[in-house]
Each structure stands twice: as structure tokens, then as C-alpha cells.
Short mmCIF file of all heavy atoms in Angstrom, two decimals:
data_model
loop_
_atom_site.label_atom_id
_atom_site.label_comp_id
_atom_site.label_asym_id
_atom_site.label_seq_id
_atom_site.Cartn_x
_atom_site.Cartn_y
_atom_site.Cartn_z
N ALA A 1 175.14 185.92 -23.88
CA ALA A 1 175.71 186.10 -25.21
C ALA A 1 176.90 185.20 -25.42
O ALA A 1 177.14 184.69 -26.52
CB ALA A 1 176.11 187.56 -25.41
N LEU A 2 177.68 184.99 -24.32
CA LEU A 2 178.84 184.11 -24.42
C LEU A 2 178.40 182.68 -24.76
O LEU A 2 179.02 181.98 -25.55
CB LEU A 2 179.65 184.15 -23.14
CG LEU A 2 180.91 183.27 -23.08
CD1 LEU A 2 181.91 183.74 -24.13
CD2 LEU A 2 181.53 183.31 -21.69
N SER A 3 177.29 182.27 -24.11
CA SER A 3 176.82 180.90 -24.34
C SER A 3 176.20 180.73 -25.73
O SER A 3 176.20 179.64 -26.28
CB SER A 3 175.81 180.51 -23.27
OG SER A 3 174.65 181.34 -23.40
N ARG A 4 175.71 181.79 -26.29
CA ARG A 4 175.06 181.72 -27.59
C ARG A 4 175.96 182.17 -28.73
O ARG A 4 175.54 182.19 -29.88
CB ARG A 4 173.80 182.60 -27.58
CG ARG A 4 172.75 182.11 -26.63
CD ARG A 4 172.13 180.79 -27.15
NE ARG A 4 171.05 180.36 -26.25
CZ ARG A 4 171.17 179.36 -25.39
NH1 ARG A 4 172.33 178.72 -25.30
NH2 ARG A 4 170.15 178.99 -24.63
N SER A 5 177.16 182.56 -28.44
CA SER A 5 178.03 183.09 -29.47
C SER A 5 178.57 181.96 -30.33
O SER A 5 178.90 180.87 -29.83
CB SER A 5 179.19 183.87 -28.83
OG SER A 5 180.10 184.29 -29.83
N GLY A 6 178.69 182.29 -31.59
CA GLY A 6 179.26 181.30 -32.48
C GLY A 6 180.77 181.27 -32.43
O GLY A 6 181.41 180.36 -32.97
N ALA A 7 181.38 182.26 -31.77
CA ALA A 7 182.85 182.28 -31.67
C ALA A 7 183.36 181.23 -30.71
O ALA A 7 184.54 180.89 -30.72
CB ALA A 7 183.31 183.66 -31.25
N TYR A 8 182.46 180.77 -29.83
CA TYR A 8 182.85 179.75 -28.86
C TYR A 8 181.97 178.52 -29.07
O TYR A 8 180.95 178.33 -28.37
CB TYR A 8 182.71 180.27 -27.44
CG TYR A 8 183.58 181.47 -27.15
CD1 TYR A 8 183.06 182.76 -27.30
CD2 TYR A 8 184.91 181.30 -26.76
CE1 TYR A 8 183.87 183.86 -27.05
CE2 TYR A 8 185.71 182.40 -26.52
CZ TYR A 8 185.19 183.68 -26.66
OH TYR A 8 185.98 184.76 -26.41
N PRO A 9 182.27 177.71 -30.03
CA PRO A 9 181.39 176.56 -30.30
C PRO A 9 181.40 175.53 -29.19
O PRO A 9 180.45 174.75 -29.06
CB PRO A 9 181.99 175.98 -31.60
CG PRO A 9 183.41 176.43 -31.60
CD PRO A 9 183.43 177.77 -30.93
N ASP A 10 182.48 175.54 -28.36
CA ASP A 10 182.57 174.55 -27.27
C ASP A 10 181.90 175.05 -26.01
O ASP A 10 182.03 174.43 -24.94
CB ASP A 10 184.04 174.23 -26.98
CG ASP A 10 184.73 173.59 -28.17
OD1 ASP A 10 184.02 172.97 -28.98
OD2 ASP A 10 185.98 173.73 -28.28
N ALA A 11 181.21 176.19 -26.04
CA ALA A 11 180.56 176.73 -24.83
C ALA A 11 179.46 175.79 -24.39
O ALA A 11 178.75 175.21 -25.21
CB ALA A 11 180.00 178.11 -25.12
N PRO A 12 179.32 175.59 -23.05
CA PRO A 12 178.28 174.68 -22.56
C PRO A 12 176.89 175.25 -22.86
O PRO A 12 176.70 176.44 -22.98
CB PRO A 12 178.57 174.62 -21.06
CG PRO A 12 179.30 175.88 -20.76
CD PRO A 12 180.08 176.22 -21.98
N HIS A 13 175.92 174.29 -22.96
CA HIS A 13 174.54 174.67 -23.23
C HIS A 13 173.74 174.71 -21.93
O HIS A 13 174.10 174.06 -20.95
CB HIS A 13 173.90 173.68 -24.22
CG HIS A 13 174.59 173.65 -25.54
ND1 HIS A 13 174.37 174.59 -26.52
CD2 HIS A 13 175.50 172.76 -26.08
CE1 HIS A 13 175.09 174.33 -27.59
NE2 HIS A 13 175.81 173.21 -27.34
N GLY A 14 172.73 175.47 -21.93
CA GLY A 14 171.87 175.56 -20.77
C GLY A 14 172.56 176.33 -19.65
O GLY A 14 173.16 177.39 -19.86
N LEU A 15 172.50 175.80 -18.40
CA LEU A 15 173.13 176.43 -17.23
C LEU A 15 174.57 175.98 -16.99
O LEU A 15 175.19 176.34 -15.98
CB LEU A 15 172.29 176.14 -15.98
CG LEU A 15 170.85 176.68 -16.00
CD1 LEU A 15 170.12 176.26 -14.73
CD2 LEU A 15 170.86 178.18 -16.15
N GLY A 16 175.11 175.23 -17.87
CA GLY A 16 176.47 174.74 -17.68
C GLY A 16 177.53 175.82 -17.73
O GLY A 16 178.63 175.68 -17.17
N PHE A 17 177.19 176.92 -18.39
CA PHE A 17 178.20 178.00 -18.48
C PHE A 17 178.40 178.72 -17.15
O PHE A 17 179.33 179.49 -16.99
CB PHE A 17 177.79 179.01 -19.55
CG PHE A 17 176.57 179.79 -19.17
CD1 PHE A 17 176.66 181.00 -18.49
CD2 PHE A 17 175.29 179.30 -19.46
CE1 PHE A 17 175.53 181.70 -18.15
CE2 PHE A 17 174.17 180.01 -19.11
CZ PHE A 17 174.28 181.22 -18.46
N ILE A 18 177.52 178.49 -16.18
CA ILE A 18 177.63 179.20 -14.89
C ILE A 18 178.72 178.58 -14.02
O ILE A 18 179.31 179.24 -13.17
CB ILE A 18 176.27 179.20 -14.18
CG1 ILE A 18 175.22 179.93 -15.01
CG2 ILE A 18 176.37 179.82 -12.79
CD1 ILE A 18 173.85 179.95 -14.39
N GLU A 19 179.04 177.30 -14.19
CA GLU A 19 179.97 176.60 -13.28
C GLU A 19 181.36 177.23 -13.22
O GLU A 19 181.85 177.53 -12.13
CB GLU A 19 180.05 175.14 -13.70
CG GLU A 19 180.96 174.32 -12.78
CD GLU A 19 181.00 172.85 -13.19
OE1 GLU A 19 180.29 172.48 -14.14
OE2 GLU A 19 181.76 172.10 -12.56
N PRO A 20 182.06 177.49 -14.34
CA PRO A 20 183.39 178.12 -14.21
C PRO A 20 183.33 179.53 -13.64
O PRO A 20 184.19 179.94 -12.86
CB PRO A 20 183.92 178.11 -15.64
CG PRO A 20 182.73 178.00 -16.51
CD PRO A 20 181.72 177.18 -15.74
N ALA A 21 182.27 180.26 -13.99
CA ALA A 21 182.16 181.62 -13.45
C ALA A 21 181.92 181.59 -11.95
O ALA A 21 182.49 182.39 -11.19
CB ALA A 21 181.03 182.37 -14.16
N MET A 22 181.06 180.63 -11.50
CA MET A 22 180.82 180.53 -10.06
C MET A 22 182.06 180.07 -9.30
O MET A 22 182.32 180.49 -8.17
CB MET A 22 179.64 179.58 -9.81
CG MET A 22 178.31 180.11 -10.30
SD MET A 22 177.86 181.69 -9.52
CE MET A 22 177.68 181.14 -7.84
N SER A 23 182.87 179.19 -9.91
CA SER A 23 184.11 178.76 -9.24
C SER A 23 185.06 179.94 -9.03
O SER A 23 185.65 180.12 -7.95
CB SER A 23 184.81 177.69 -10.10
OG SER A 23 183.98 176.56 -10.23
N GLU A 24 185.20 180.76 -10.08
CA GLU A 24 186.05 181.95 -9.93
C GLU A 24 185.48 182.91 -8.91
O GLU A 24 186.21 183.49 -8.11
CB GLU A 24 186.19 182.63 -11.29
CG GLU A 24 187.16 183.80 -11.29
CD GLU A 24 187.31 184.40 -12.67
OE1 GLU A 24 186.74 183.85 -13.63
OE2 GLU A 24 188.03 185.43 -12.77
N PHE A 25 184.15 183.02 -8.91
CA PHE A 25 183.51 183.91 -7.93
C PHE A 25 183.73 183.43 -6.51
O PHE A 25 183.96 184.21 -5.59
CB PHE A 25 182.01 184.00 -8.27
CG PHE A 25 181.23 184.81 -7.28
CD1 PHE A 25 181.32 186.20 -7.27
CD2 PHE A 25 180.41 184.20 -6.33
CE1 PHE A 25 180.61 186.97 -6.35
CE2 PHE A 25 179.71 184.95 -5.41
CZ PHE A 25 179.80 186.34 -5.42
N VAL A 26 183.64 182.11 -6.31
CA VAL A 26 183.87 181.55 -4.97
C VAL A 26 185.31 181.82 -4.52
O VAL A 26 185.56 182.18 -3.36
CB VAL A 26 183.56 180.05 -4.98
CG1 VAL A 26 184.05 179.39 -3.68
CG2 VAL A 26 182.07 179.81 -5.14
N ASP A 27 186.28 181.65 -5.44
CA ASP A 27 187.68 181.92 -5.06
C ASP A 27 187.87 183.38 -4.65
O ASP A 27 188.54 183.68 -3.64
CB ASP A 27 188.60 181.58 -6.23
CG ASP A 27 188.60 180.09 -6.56
OD1 ASP A 27 188.25 179.32 -5.64
OD2 ASP A 27 188.96 179.75 -7.69
N GLU A 28 187.29 184.29 -5.43
CA GLU A 28 187.42 185.70 -5.08
C GLU A 28 186.70 186.03 -3.78
O GLU A 28 187.18 186.85 -2.98
CB GLU A 28 186.86 186.56 -6.22
CG GLU A 28 187.63 186.44 -7.53
CD GLU A 28 189.06 186.93 -7.40
OE1 GLU A 28 189.32 187.80 -6.52
OE2 GLU A 28 189.93 186.45 -8.15
N ALA A 29 185.57 185.38 -3.53
CA ALA A 29 184.84 185.61 -2.28
C ALA A 29 185.63 185.11 -1.08
O ALA A 29 185.67 185.75 -0.02
CB ALA A 29 183.47 184.93 -2.35
N GLU A 30 186.30 183.96 -1.25
CA GLU A 30 187.14 183.46 -0.15
C GLU A 30 188.31 184.39 0.12
O GLU A 30 188.67 184.64 1.27
CB GLU A 30 187.64 182.05 -0.51
CG GLU A 30 186.55 180.99 -0.49
CD GLU A 30 187.07 179.63 -0.89
OE1 GLU A 30 188.27 179.56 -1.31
OE2 GLU A 30 186.32 178.65 -0.81
N ALA A 31 188.94 184.92 -0.96
CA ALA A 31 190.04 185.88 -0.76
C ALA A 31 189.54 187.14 -0.05
O ALA A 31 190.21 187.69 0.85
CB ALA A 31 190.67 186.24 -2.11
N LEU A 32 188.34 187.60 -0.45
CA LEU A 32 187.76 188.78 0.22
C LEU A 32 187.48 188.50 1.68
O LEU A 32 187.75 189.35 2.55
CB LEU A 32 186.48 189.19 -0.51
CG LEU A 32 185.71 190.37 0.11
CD1 LEU A 32 186.58 191.63 0.09
CD2 LEU A 32 184.40 190.60 -0.64
N GLN A 33 186.96 187.31 1.98
CA GLN A 33 186.69 186.96 3.37
C GLN A 33 187.99 186.92 4.19
O GLN A 33 188.04 187.39 5.33
CB GLN A 33 185.96 185.61 3.45
CG GLN A 33 185.59 185.19 4.88
CD GLN A 33 184.90 183.84 4.93
OE1 GLN A 33 184.74 183.19 3.87
NE2 GLN A 33 184.50 183.43 6.11
N ALA A 34 189.06 186.35 3.59
CA ALA A 34 190.35 186.29 4.30
C ALA A 34 190.88 187.70 4.58
O ALA A 34 191.38 187.99 5.69
CB ALA A 34 191.36 185.49 3.49
N ASN A 35 190.74 188.58 3.60
CA ASN A 35 191.20 189.96 3.80
C ASN A 35 190.38 190.68 4.87
O ASN A 35 190.91 191.43 5.70
CB ASN A 35 191.14 190.73 2.49
CG ASN A 35 192.13 190.21 1.45
OD1 ASN A 35 193.15 189.62 1.82
ND2 ASN A 35 191.83 190.40 0.18
N VAL A 36 189.07 190.44 4.84
CA VAL A 36 188.20 191.06 5.86
C VAL A 36 188.54 190.55 7.25
O VAL A 36 188.59 191.31 8.22
CB VAL A 36 186.72 190.81 5.51
CG1 VAL A 36 185.81 191.26 6.67
CG2 VAL A 36 186.33 191.56 4.24
#
């Protein structure tokens, strides 16, 4: 919905919207690994 929303006209098309979310996910996963 975020990628198709008209409120965000600059949202990437196709699978491009996954890159920033995956980067944040990787950072959180690394923090979790360090804590573990």
C-alpha cells in the first residue's frame, strides 16, 4: 500500500521499496545478534 499510495509520489516502483526496509531490518538483526 505504501508503494501504491498517492501520498508518496516519490515511492520506488516494483521491488525498490524493499531496500530501505531491508537495510533497517539488517541493522536491527545485527543489534539483536550483538545482544545475544
Side-chain angles (χ1 to χ4, degrees):
L2 180 64
S3 65
R4 295 290 183 254
S5 175
Y8 299 94
D10 297 334
H13 298 280
L15 298 177
F17 68 91
I18 298 179
E19 182 178 357
M22 292 301 295
S23 298
E24 186 177 355
F25 176 75
V26 169
D27 294 338
E28 296 297 333
E30 290 178 353
L32 177 62
Q33 182 182 3
N35 294 334
V36 171

